[in-house]
Amino acid sequence: MNEKKATPINEAAPKDLQSESKTCDNSNDAAAQRGRALDALRIEPKDTIQLRRDYDILSPAARIWELKHRFGFEITKLMVRRHTACGKLHRVALYVLMRETGGHA
């Protein structure tokens, strides 16, 4: 019988499976995620799905909260409906950077 060995959980994904996106760096700490979120919002409003998928921010709401309440950025949240990659419709937040009154993220 052909038996496949399970991949260990802590083993890194092969390089060909890793994202080559410019928005995905090697840092997953909160400061790096806040920086990516802020850079994205400076371009145009982004929704929860975009921030997770395109910017590797797994908890966008937490990072946006920090930008607003810890760093003073004026970010508005609108609730919108968006489709996920598998086609399901979800109600998610759309974040809009209104004004940069804050300090450094």
Side-chain angles (χ1 to χ4, degrees):
M1 240 195 276
N2 276 343
E3 290 186 27
K4 289 188 175 184
K5 291 184 180 180
T7 303
I9 292 173
N10 61 352
E11 186 175 305
K15 288 193 184 245
D16 60 317
L17 295 179
Q18 293 175 358
S19 173
E20 293 183 7
S21 170
K22 292 179 184 177
T23 59
C24 184
D25 63 22
N26 290 330
S27 182
N28 281 328
D29 64 17
Q33 291 181 40
R34 282 192 304 271
R36 291 195 301 268
L38 190 56
D39 288 345
L41 294 176
R42 284 176 173 146
I43 297 168
E44 64 184 358
K46 301 287 186 215
D47 64 44
T48 302
I49 295 169
Q50 291 172 305
L51 290 170
R52 285 183 180 151
R53 179 190 63 217
D54 301 337
Y55 297 91
D56 198 32
I57 302 168
L58 298 186
S59 296
R63 303 296 79 85
I64 297 300
W65 187 93
E66 292 165 353
L67 288 170
K68 288 174 66 172
H69 299 282
R70 288 180 53 200
F71 296 96
F73 289 93
E74 189 177 329
I75 300 171
T76 298
K77 176 179 80 172
L78 307 168
M79 297 309 292
V80 297
R81 292 181 180 269
R82 295 287 193 260
H83 287 92
T84 58
C86 66
K88 292 189 178 184
L89 188 62
H90 291 269
R91 189 169 178 255
V92 298
L94 176 69
Y95 299 105
V96 183
L97 178 62
M98 303 302 288
R99 191 168 35 162
E100 292 196 41
T101 58
H104 299 289

